[in-house]
Amino acid sequence: MCGRYSLTTPPEAMRRLFGFEALPNLPPRYNVAPTQEAPVVLPAGEPDGDGLRPQRTLAQRTLAMARWGLLPPFAKSPADGARMINARAETVATKPAFRRAFAKRRCLVPADGFYEWQKLGDGPKAAKQPWRIGLKGGAPFAFAGLFETWQPPLPEDVDAEATAGAPILSFTIITTTANAAIEKIHPRMPVMLAEADHDLWLSGAAEPAALQALLRPFPAEAMGYYRVSTRVNAVRNDDAECIAPLTAGGTED
DNA sequence: CCAGACGTTGTT
DNA sequence: GTCTGG
DNA sequence: CCAGACGTTGTT
DNA sequence: GTCTGG
């Protein structure tokens, strides 16, 4: 799956990959965790609500901050999104929580690495070794994501306009089976989109079959991975030590 | 019909 | 053990 | 994903 | 909102 990732790439490289007209305001993140806010790239015109803090717009795309953990339209509170941090590629088109977003609200989730924990033994006490995984050379890329704008329910008593909470933009990351390299660490991995597929993924005119075809494991030969410290386990640790290679081993990043 | 879930991972 | 919070 | 709580009353 | 389980 994918339950932590990093986004440490300097703004200029982000601007080039995603086609923003100006440098985005993106401080480095070494340890992005569920329920936290992270940047997402939305199709043109999104979001259309208030309070969503779009930062930069180009003709085809918007960069906005969103909460990790999809809040479907029927969510009763933001806590309901905490478990929806991933959606399986195999079922995303049909599951009630995801299918509308798959049809209408697809986004790119910028990253330059993700973490997977490898179980080193059996049983509940088995130690876990975290790995950082990404493209060889460390270039940034995009996860295939879905987004929703969730409107908090109105209280019943008072004037609705005065008490309506701000809408929350939320997202999830689609997962698929691990490729031949990653499966030694973990059986699943997030869907990474090649740059050439970004426009198709965001296109409102795309055929469902064409979209589904993008949800495949990224080629192993293009990827690198290395062990990192268990320091990354704690979400309060969000610094460069999280991405530092632990020892020799794995491939160079 | 109404009530309750709506999700993933991993482990057994 | 299981749920919540980050 | 992992870490940390998991509870109540009453007092500050 | 919509589907599943009872």
Side-chain angles (χ1 to χ4, degrees):
Chain A
M1 78 176 305
C2 175
R4 292 301 170 85
Y5 66 94
S6 64
L7 180 58
T8 66
T9 301
E12 171 56 23
M14 292 286 292
R15 190 195 63 73
R16 269 186 273 117
L17 175 57
F18 293 105
F20 302 121
E21 60 188 357
L23 289 180
N25 175 24
L26 295 175
R29 292 297 311 277
Y30 301 90
N31 192 7
V32 180
T35 73
Q36 294 180 347
E37 292 218 326
V40 293
V41 177
L42 310 178
E46 298 279 3
D48 48 17
D50 293 325
L52 300 180
R53 283 154 292 146
Q55 293 189 352
R56 305 289 177 195
T57 305
L58 195 60
Q60 302 306 315
R61 296 173 181 175
T62 298
L63 179 65
M65 297 301 287
R67 177 190 171 103
W68 187 10
L70 198 75
L71 289 165
F74 48 75
K76 291 175 185 62
S77 91
D80 292 348
R83 294 163 301 169
M84 309 224 191
I85 64 171
N86 294 131
R88 293 174 63 88
E90 298 89 333
T91 54
V92 68
T94 55
K95 291 284 186 184
F98 299 127
R99 64 184 192 185
R100 261 164 297 210
F102 177 69
K104 301 269 184 199
R105 290 178 286 277
R106 295 177 303 277
C107 66
L108 305 174
V109 182
D112 53 24
F114 59 95
Y115 300 100
E116 298 287 3
W117 280 259
Q118 177 184 36
K119 285 199 67 174
L120 297 179
D122 294 322
K125 295 176 218 162
K128 290 178 183 177
Q129 172 62 58
W131 293 72
R132 182 165 183 254
I133 305 168
L135 295 177
K136 265 180 194 166
F141 55 87
F143 296 128
L146 308 176
F147 69 96
E148 289 279 2
T149 303
W150 182 76
Q151 180 66 57
L154 296 172
E156 292 183 9
D157 44 4
V158 211
D159 174 32
E161 191 127 0
T163 58
I168 298 176
L169 184 67
S170 64
F171 72 97
T172 191
I173 295 171
I174 299 178
T175 63
T176 186
T177 53
N179 64 34
I182 307 303
E183 71 180 1
K184 295 166 198 156
I185 299 171
H186 197 81
R188 299 197 54 90
M189 63 184 281
V191 172
M192 300 163 63
L193 296 174
E195 185 174 357
D197 293 328
H198 288 186
D199 283 337
L200 176 58
W201 183 248
L202 294 182
S203 167
E207 292 292 335
L211 296 169
Q212 192 73 52
L214 298 180
L215 304 181
R216 59 184 188 270
F218 204 79
E221 60 272 19
M223 297 179 63
Y225 40 90
Y226 58 88
R227 294 176 180 86
V228 294
S229 161
T230 54
R231 180 181 173 76
V232 76
N233 291 12
V235 301
R236 65 179 173 274
N237 295 325
D238 185 14
D239 54 42
E241 287 183 53
C242 292
I243 67 170
L246 187 62
T247 62
T251 65
E252 294 307 313
D253 184 32

